[in-house]
Amino acid sequence: MKKLIISFLVQIVICVSAFCGDYLKMPRRYFEIGVKAPVGISNNAIGVTDLLKKNLVIDLEKLANDLPKDGLIFDMNAAPDFSMNLNLSNGFRFGLKLGIDGYSKVDFSKSLIDFLCKGNELNETLNFDGGVNADIFAHLDLSFGRDINQLHVEFTPSLFVPVAHIETTSATAYLKNAPDGKIEALAQANLMAYTCFNTRPIFDKDCKDLVFENVASGCGFDISASVEQKVLESLIAGAYLRLPIVPGTLGYSTGMNCKVGFEAKSVVALVSKEEDASSFTSEMSDISYGNEPYVINRPMRFGLQCAWRPFGSWCSFNGLLGLGLNEPFSKYGKTTCFLEYDFGCDMLLFHVLGFNLSSNYYNKVFTQQLGLVINLRILEIDVGVSVQGSDFARSFCASGIGAYAAVYIGF
């Protein structure tokens, strides 16, 4: 019985190795269906390790001094998807993926944090600024891969729909301490939201009239390509590119002015909870709706990647280094360049139990990630957790957290 089990395991290894070939990302099944859901949230100032202490002491002055000149930044991202993949022994691959990519960023100026941590002089007016930026895309990808001579080439044409683009055209605030102890504060922001649907029913609180009638007409198109080659016996190298072809269009716009005001008689009145010690006001005004289109592409990406397997296919050291452009070819002058990298190690013991450890930088977020793989061939479960942050050093202090879970079934 023991010999039979060992023989069966050996046959599985030989079978899997036969159709895997030498690829940067080796497939584990001939055919599979899977779902994956990664999500993360982070900041660049305060870490979980700063808070999980028996005696919590926060040095506000040090916090303000250590904060970078960009100010306080919060990042949120999510990218759930559903996929189907076919991997044949002759190197042919076909894949289909349906997913959503969402990323948002909220930032506060350093002067605001300086005030909160250090205070200000009497009768001194402090001015702050900040901003909000968010993008949501839905996408449908078809990928085709083939071995050509010594190369493995893959092409992925993608149809994407921009769901929303949100930004602040201006965001300001001021705070003043009067000589009589009175505190005045006012924050306001001009917010623009470009969407693939009319938002008027939402603000009119009549969501039954919410329709997505012009979504298809706003579809965009881009194409991704990658090429891989075996450089050494244990080293696979490759390059990748995602090139925008046709931009997507958001057909509706909503503008508004948001104001939040606060007044207090004095700090003493607040602490003693005097009646009418403070007042708070909020207002959303100048709401306007339009059909002015907003044209946008998904980020352009290009770079190099490799996989080094000095001990065999069960252990892979992976590397990726590239550049990207947010809103490439933007007619609004909003194109920005960013760096991305991913370095890690994947281990899959007996093609059943796996671990992965990686450090990466995507969407301007640094992530240190640990994952676990349980692969029973017909069923695979991947789970992982990460600590992350908008600042590299702070990402190790868990100034943000993330997680993912994936399930694949096939044969």
Side-chain angles (χ1 to χ4, degrees):
M1 183 64 180
K2 183 177 180 180
K3 291 182 178 180
L4 181 63
I5 294 175
I6 294 175
S7 176
F8 177 71
L9 291 175
V10 170
Q11 291 299 318
I12 289 180
V13 171
I14 294 175
C15 178
V16 173
S17 301
F19 88 88
C20 279
D22 295 314
Y23 302 118
L24 285 169
K25 185 178 180 182
M26 298 189 298
R28 295 179 181 142
R29 279 160 291 278
Y30 292 106
F31 175 77
E32 67 180 9
I33 298 175
V35 292
K36 186 175 183 179
V39 63
I41 182 171
S42 63
N43 74 91
N44 65 337
I46 301 174
V48 174
T49 54
D50 296 327
L51 303 176
L52 298 179
K53 296 180 179 179
K54 182 177 180 179
N55 297 313
L56 178 61
V57 178
I58 299 179
D59 189 335
L60 295 179
E61 185 170 353
K62 183 178 184 301
L63 174 63
N65 292 334
D66 291 346
L67 197 68
K69 63 180 181 179
D70 293 335
L72 179 60
I73 299 174
F74 289 92
D75 296 278
M76 291 162 282
N77 59 82
D81 65 58
F82 166 81
S83 62
M84 292 192 297
N85 297 294
L86 177 66
N87 306 289
L88 301 183
S89 58
N90 60 1
F92 175 79
R93 295 190 192 183
F94 172 76
L96 180 149
K97 179 185 291 185
L98 178 65
I100 295 175
D101 289 335
Y103 171 76
S104 63
K105 173 185 175 183
V106 181
D107 63 90
F108 302 92
S109 66
K110 192 175 188 304
S111 58
L112 172 60
I113 309 304
D114 287 340
F115 161 73
L116 294 175
C117 296
K118 299 179 181 180
N120 69 316
E121 300 289 340
L122 284 178
N123 212 29
E124 176 187 6
T125 300
L126 295 179
N127 295 298
F128 318 115
D129 57 19
V132 176
N133 194 283
D135 289 306
I136 303 174
F137 295 95
H139 59 92
L140 174 64
D141 308 336
L142 294 176
S143 61
F144 304 89
R146 182 70 180 177
D147 289 342
I148 302 176
N149 296 326
Q150 300 298 315
L151 301 177
H152 179 76
V153 180
E154 288 198 22
F155 293 95
T156 305
S158 301
L159 192 68
F160 69 89
V161 176
V163 178
H165 171 79
I166 302 171
E167 63 181 33
T168 48
T169 56
S170 66
T172 59
Y174 79 84
L175 184 140
K176 183 177 181 180
N177 286 337
D180 61 358
K182 186 177 181 181
I183 301 172
E184 296 179 6
L186 177 66
Q188 63 177 6
N190 292 319
L191 189 70
M192 284 298 301
Y194 300 92
T195 55
C196 64
F197 55 91
N198 190 352
T199 60
R200 185 188 290 270
I202 297 177
F203 289 96
D204 291 343
K205 299 180 180 180
D206 191 13
C207 292
K208 65 181 181 181
D209 294 330
L210 191 65
V211 294
F212 297 82
E213 55 187 13
N214 297 322
V215 173
S217 62
C219 288
F221 177 78
D222 56 36
I223 187 167
S224 299
S226 66
V227 58
E228 305 169 10
Q229 184 174 18
K230 188 174 183 179
V231 180
L232 300 173
E233 186 62 31
S234 59
L235 179 63
I236 315 296
Y240 66 91
L241 167 69
R242 180 163 74 188
L243 183 65
I245 305 296
V246 179
T249 302
L250 294 162
Y252 299 92
S253 63
T254 305
M256 67 190 74
N257 181 268
C258 304
K259 292 183 180 180
V260 177
F262 175 80
E263 288 188 5
K265 292 180 179 179
S266 66
V267 175
V268 174
L270 285 173
V271 173
S272 60
K273 299 181 180 180
E274 291 182 11
E275 187 177 353
D276 300 326
S278 64
S279 62
F280 178 86
T281 59
S282 62
E283 179 185 2
M284 186 180 295
S285 61
D286 301 328
I287 300 178
S288 61
Y289 307 96
N291 297 320
E292 180 184 356
Y294 188 88
V295 180
I296 187 171
N297 279 302
R298 292 201 298 173
M300 179 179 176
R301 301 174 59 239
F302 57 93
L304 303 173
Q305 53 188 337
C306 67
W308 181 44
R309 305 184 178 107
F311 310 115
S313 60
W314 66 274
C315 179
S316 178
F317 297 94
N318 309 307
L320 178 150
L321 182 63
L323 290 174
L325 295 174
N326 272 325
E327 295 198 47
F329 313 119
S330 171
K331 67 178 184 179
Y332 311 105
K334 299 178 181 179
T335 301
T336 57
C337 182
F338 60 89
L339 173 73
E340 60 182 20
Y341 68 78
D342 194 336
F343 300 103
C345 176
D346 293 332
M347 291 182 289
L348 188 60
L349 306 177
F350 307 108
H351 294 273
V352 176
L353 181 62
F355 304 92
N356 58 75
L357 181 67
S358 66
S359 175
N360 59 64
Y361 180 63
Y362 290 112
N363 290 327
K364 299 182 180 180
V365 176
F366 295 92
T367 302
Q368 320 306 325
Q369 183 170 279
L370 175 65
L372 171 68
V373 178
I374 300 176
N375 178 30
L376 304 177
R377 183 60 185 267
I378 195 172
L379 172 67
E380 178 181 331
I381 299 175
D382 297 1
V383 293
V385 294
S386 63
V387 291
Q388 50 187 253
S390 303
D391 177 82
F392 178 76
R394 280 288 175 183
S395 68
F396 290 93
C397 301
S399 61
I401 56 174
Y404 71 87
V407 177
Y408 302 94
I409 57 174
F411 56 88

